[in-house]
Amino acid sequence: MPAPYPYGETVVRLRRGPSPGRDPRGQPIPGTVAEHPVPGCVVTPRSASPAVGGAEQQARDTVIVGYTVYAPAGSDWRTTDQVRIRGEVCEITGEPGDWGRSPFTGTRGPVQFAADRVTG
């Protein structure tokens, strides 16, 4: 089956596995991270600025805070995953949303999620 977005880009899902145990202070040891490339994603920038042309935007630059990702239908994403987009590691913000099936075409829509840049 061809990719739904043949000119989309590959986003890498970073998912941490189960903890292998606890450290001497009783804290869980992080599990290993598995990388899974997901081709055919549409990635768009998201900004923190007010709406374009609004009074609040006078003399301000748009600040990009992350991305909106439209991943292929049926792809598996969790709020606990991280993603690598264009070399930047981002956190998934909120619950990924499955667009479900179109009542007009019967085809499945994308899985959409917000990805915010990791800082600090």
Side-chain angles (χ1 to χ4, degrees):
M1 181 167 95
Y5 310 111
Y7 300 107
E9 59 189 279
T10 298
V11 171
V12 179
R13 184 185 71 209
L14 307 170
R15 182 170 291 168
R16 192 167 295 281
S19 172
R22 299 199 172 260
D23 68 16
R25 296 188 320 219
Q27 299 297 316
I29 298 169
T32 57
V33 174
E35 296 191 12
H36 178 74
V38 180
C41 294
V42 175
V43 178
T44 63
R46 280 187 308 110
S47 69
S49 296
V52 174
E56 298 87 15
Q57 185 138 4
Q58 295 294 329
R60 287 191 171 177
D61 291 331
T62 300
V63 177
I64 303 301
V65 295
Y67 304 99
T68 298
V69 177
Y70 300 90
S75 54
D76 178 28
W77 302 93
R78 300 178 187 166
T79 57
T80 53
D81 292 338
Q82 290 182 313
V83 294
R84 185 176 307 115
I85 300 170
R86 302 173 186 163
E88 292 184 300
V89 175
C90 301
E91 301 281 347
I92 291 181
T93 306
E95 188 72 28
D98 188 330
W99 281 39
R101 189 169 304 282
S102 167
F104 303 106
T105 65
T107 59
R108 296 261 330 253
V111 176
Q112 176 182 344
F113 60 87
D116 290 320
R117 293 182 183 150
V118 176
T119 58

